[in-house]
């Protein structure tokens, strides 16, 4: 007879440290919340991460999967991985009843209608399920003629294809006419920056940018991504600054500001102010906070193949925000060793973090032990990392938070640590809400950041979706 009473194999990080055993729900969260779908990370390729997400979904209760997908879209501002989750739920008998409501909520941009259908057909072309049709039909009427024209692209799956497939019903005669134009290919061209720049045919770009800025026709992401191009055309600096000051930052991840400042250092001050707007009226975290940022070699890896943004930029964006809400803060970096850095504000903090030490191995356990020996009198410790340590990581002395900004399979920051996955400003909300409810003595009811955020949204009037 084969032996069954065998030793349990330890699970390890990619760098060899003993990782923590966590639930399948936690595994799904850590794979999703910092995932740019099919983009490779330092230790794992994008296909591996996507397949792990697909394999975990049927193992997690349907409502918990749904909460993770909605949180990824609404709080972590991710677009594609929530669509993948809904696609997988549509395949699963126990999960598919939630698909219609999820699709209608998760689809927030018109092009996501066609992107989802393309994802649905990725493995093989098959009829849309009833729940998928219902969800798409519920989402389609949300979009104006401008939004439909903006994303009416010549792709494999077009918006008119989605309309035919889901049989959506217009909400009024005006929308019915818009949809008829979409089908006929007669929608008026939208006044977007792409259309305006294309119309110049290489001449008059400066005037086109200036008009777009004056008329506030550039969304926040488009403005940030095009700052370099706008400056190259020698657009009036004051006009740029006014546009930056007015832009809505609700859908912008913190590290986008770092990228913009890298290419437009003359506007660093106003970019910094715009970034801090997402903190709103946050209260300060009382006492002394030890803030530790991972600057190991894996944090230098780019977030996507088409970007020069790195995981350390995502970490620095969070560090800049957390530094703002701490009553007193001590900032450290760790790689081969622990290094204290000046607790400067904004982009100056990112600069000193990057220049603090050589980006090499990850010895979080040693860094934490050094901190406890040299500076043990903190009220909380917050670590921003990809969790791939070489050595064993001990417990915090008091309140401890690990913010994971990667999608690696295993990590070290659980059990005595409050573990948070993600890289948007929502992680600041999680920490503040946890400490608020901790004072009330009800943290036993909070199992995940989803629980924290559910409480937060009920408490704060007008909390953004």
């Amino acid at each position: 007879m084969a032996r069954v009473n065998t030793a349990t194999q330890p699970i390890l990080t990619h760098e060899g440290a003993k990782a923590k055993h966590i639930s399948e729900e936690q595994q799904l969260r850590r794979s999703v919340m910092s995932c740019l779908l099919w983009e490779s990370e330092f230790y794992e390729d994008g296909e591996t991460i996507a397949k792990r997400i697909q394999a975990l979904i049927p193992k997690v209760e349907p409502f918990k999967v749904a909460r993770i997908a909605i949180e990824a879209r609404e709080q972590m501002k991710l677009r594609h991985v929530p669509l993948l989750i809904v696609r997988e739920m549509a395949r699963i008998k126990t999960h598919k009843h939630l698909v219609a409501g999820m699709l209608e909520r998760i689809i927030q941009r018109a092009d996501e209608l066609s992107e989802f259908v393309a994802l649905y057909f990725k493995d093989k072309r098959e009829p849309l399920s009833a729940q998928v049709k219902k969800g798409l039909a519920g989402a389609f009427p949300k979009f104006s003629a401008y939004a439909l024209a903006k994303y009416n692209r010549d792709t494999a799956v077009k918006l008119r294809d989605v309309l035919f497939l889901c049989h959506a019903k217009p909400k009024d005669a005006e929308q019915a006419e818009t949809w008829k134009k979409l089908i006929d290919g007669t929608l008026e061209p939208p006044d977007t920056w792409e259309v305006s720049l294309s119309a110049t045919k290489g001449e008059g770009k400066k005037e086109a940018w200036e008009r777009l800025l004056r008329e506030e026709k550039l969304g926040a992401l488009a403005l940030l991504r095009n700052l370099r191009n706008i400056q190259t055309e020698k657009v009036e600096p004051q006009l740029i600054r006014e546009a930056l000051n007015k832009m809505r930052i609700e859908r912008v991840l913190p590290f986008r500001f770092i990228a913009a400042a890298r290419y437009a250092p003359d506007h660093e001050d106003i970019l910094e102010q715009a970034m801090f707007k997402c903190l709103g009226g946050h209260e300060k975290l009382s006492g002394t906070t030890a803030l530790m940022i991972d600057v190991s070699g894996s944090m230098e890896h780019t977030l996507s193949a088409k970007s020069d943004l790195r995981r350390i930029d995502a970490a620095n964006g969070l560090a800049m925000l957390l530094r703002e809400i701490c009553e007193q803060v001590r900032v450290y970096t760790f790689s081969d060793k622990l290094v204290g850095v000046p607790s400067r504000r904004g982009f100056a903090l990112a600069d000193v973090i990057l220049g603090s030490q050589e980006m090499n191995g990850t010895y979080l356990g040693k860094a934490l032990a050094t901190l406890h020996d040299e500076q043990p009198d903190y009220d909380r410790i917050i670590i921003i990392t990809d969790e791939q340590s070489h050595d064993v990581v001990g417990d915090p002395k008091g309140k401890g938070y690990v913010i994971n900004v990667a999608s690696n399979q295993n990590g070290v920051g659980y059990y005595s640590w409050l573990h948070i996955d993600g890289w948007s400003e929502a992680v600041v909300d999680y920490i503040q809400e946890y400490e608020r409810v901790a004072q009330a003595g009800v943290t036993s009811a909070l199992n995940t950041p989803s629980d924290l955020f559910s409480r937060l949204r009920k408490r704060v009037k007008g909390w953004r979706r």
Side-chain angles (χ1 to χ4, degrees):
M1 184 181 82
R3 293 179 61 195
V4 294
N5 188 24
T6 57
T8 301
Q9 292 296 317
I11 59 171
L12 305 173
T13 69
H14 288 287
E15 292 189 350
K18 187 175 180 181
K20 307 294 187 184
H21 285 272
I22 57 175
S23 69
E24 287 161 334
E25 179 189 358
Q26 289 173 311
Q27 292 175 46
L28 182 60
R29 287 187 60 84
R30 69 175 291 116
S31 296
V32 164
M33 293 303 173
S34 300
C35 177
L36 298 180
L37 191 58
W38 291 306
E39 294 288 353
S40 295
E41 300 186 5
F42 183 82
Y43 296 103
E44 297 180 351
D45 64 72
E47 286 289 341
T48 298
I49 296 168
K51 287 177 181 176
R52 181 166 65 248
I53 291 169
Q54 292 171 303
L56 285 166
I57 289 169
K59 300 176 182 178
V60 178
E61 293 177 27
F63 281 101
K64 291 181 178 179
V65 177
R67 287 207 314 179
I68 287 171
I70 290 167
E71 185 182 339
R73 184 66 184 100
E74 295 183 353
Q75 277 75 64
M76 294 306 157
K77 306 176 185 179
L78 300 172
R79 293 184 55 232
H80 296 101
V81 71
L83 297 178
L84 176 69
I85 293 173
V86 180
R87 171 64 186 108
E88 291 306 307
M89 291 180 73
R91 303 177 195 266
I92 305 167
K93 185 176 181 180
T94 54
H95 291 55
K96 65 183 182 181
H97 66 287
L98 297 175
V99 163
M102 288 178 64
L103 257 186
E104 185 173 347
R105 183 167 175 177
I106 283 171
I107 291 177
Q108 298 178 13
R109 249 176 53 169
D111 60 332
E112 291 166 2
L113 292 159
S114 51
E115 285 180 14
F116 176 80
V117 175
L119 185 61
Y120 193 95
F121 292 156
K122 181 176 179 289
D123 297 329
K124 66 174 181 176
R125 193 176 181 95
E126 57 185 324
L128 301 184
S129 71
Q131 280 282 311
V132 166
K133 287 181 180 179
K134 185 178 178 181
L136 292 171
F140 217 105
K142 294 195 293 186
F143 302 107
S144 65
Y146 176 87
L148 293 173
K150 180 177 180 180
Y151 294 111
N152 187 29
R153 296 166 177 163
D154 189 21
T155 49
V157 178
K158 301 175 180 62
L159 286 173
R160 57 172 282 172
D161 300 330
V162 180
L163 188 56
F164 287 140
L165 288 166
C166 73
H167 308 294
K169 293 186 175 7
K171 56 188 177 185
D172 52 34
E174 182 181 357
Q175 189 166 77
E177 180 60 25
T178 295
W179 289 5
K180 184 178 184 302
K181 291 180 179 179
L182 174 67
I183 292 167
D184 295 340
T186 58
L187 274 176
E188 292 80 4
D191 187 12
T192 64
W193 69 268
E194 296 99 330
V195 171
S196 296
L197 268 287
S198 177
T200 66
K201 296 181 180 179
E203 298 180 2
K205 285 188 176 182
K206 176 184 177 183
E207 291 75 16
W209 283 124
E210 288 176 344
R211 182 186 67 79
L212 290 166
L213 291 171
R214 287 195 185 94
E215 297 177 7
E216 299 180 25
K217 293 291 180 69
L218 287 172
L221 270 176
L223 177 54
L224 292 175
R225 287 170 172 167
N226 281 291
L227 270 182
R228 179 163 54 179
N229 296 329
I230 293 170
Q231 288 191 132
T232 299
E233 296 299 324
K234 301 191 182 328
V235 170
E236 174 61 39
Q238 187 56 35
L239 185 58
I240 299 173
R241 294 176 69 82
E242 288 172 2
L244 289 170
N245 192 47
K246 292 177 182 177
M247 70 179 175
R248 298 179 62 182
I249 49 84
E250 290 88 350
R251 294 175 184 264
V252 183
L253 287 161
F255 56 77
R256 300 290 184 195
F257 295 96
I258 293 176
R262 189 174 295 154
Y263 297 121
D266 291 347
H267 302 299
E268 190 173 277
D269 58 334
I270 201 161
L271 286 167
E272 192 172 273
Q273 293 170 27
M275 181 178 178
F276 289 154
K277 284 180 185 177
C278 69
L279 292 173
H282 281 67
E283 298 175 0
K284 294 280 187 180
L285 292 173
S286 62
T288 300
T289 301
L291 180 59
M292 294 174 60
I293 300 95
D294 186 346
V295 294
S296 61
S298 59
M299 297 290 285
E300 281 201 288
H301 197 268
T302 55
L303 298 178
S304 76
K306 296 181 180 179
S307 172
D308 60 357
L309 278 166
R310 302 161 297 168
R311 211 152 295 274
I312 185 60
D313 295 320
N316 280 340
L318 294 180
M320 290 160 63
L321 295 181
L322 287 164
R323 184 252 179 253
E324 288 301 297
I325 66 156
C326 293
E327 191 173 72
Q328 299 177 57
V329 62
R330 300 170 184 155
V331 184
Y332 305 87
T333 66
F334 65 93
S335 177
D336 289 336
K337 58 186 177 181
L338 183 74
V339 175
V341 300
S343 58
R344 294 175 182 163
R345 295 193 70 214
F347 297 118
L349 178 60
D351 290 340
V352 297
I353 288 171
L354 289 173
S356 62
Q357 61 177 300
E358 183 179 356
M359 300 179 79
N360 196 18
T362 316
Y363 291 91
L364 175 53
K366 182 173 73 171
L368 187 61
T370 302
L371 178 69
H372 288 165
D373 289 341
E374 298 179 359
Q375 300 287 347
D377 57 334
Y378 58 80
D379 296 287
R380 75 185 56 75
I381 181 170
I382 303 174
I383 301 171
I384 310 173
T385 177
D386 63 1
E387 286 192 274
Q388 298 305 296
S389 184
H390 286 293
D391 55 359
V392 176
V393 178
D395 295 335
K397 292 184 176 178
K399 291 175 284 193
Y401 306 89
V402 169
I403 301 172
N404 173 40
V405 293
S407 300
N408 300 303
Q409 183 171 14
N410 300 319
V412 295
Y414 293 88
Y415 298 173
S416 55
W417 298 90
L418 179 68
H419 191 276
I420 304 171
D421 297 294
W423 51 22
S424 86
E425 72 279 3
V427 303
V428 180
D429 302 317
Y430 295 157
I431 291 172
Q432 290 194 311
E433 181 66 2
Y434 185 84
E435 297 211 356
R436 191 190 74 81
V437 298
Q439 289 182 335
V442 292
T443 54
S444 60
L446 303 176
N447 299 315
T448 70
S450 291
D451 299 321
L452 288 170
F453 213 82
S454 295
R455 291 180 61 93
L456 189 62
R457 289 179 64 180
K458 291 174 184 176
R459 185 169 64 86
V460 182
K461 184 178 180 181
W463 185 259
R464 65 182 180 277
R465 285 190 60 184

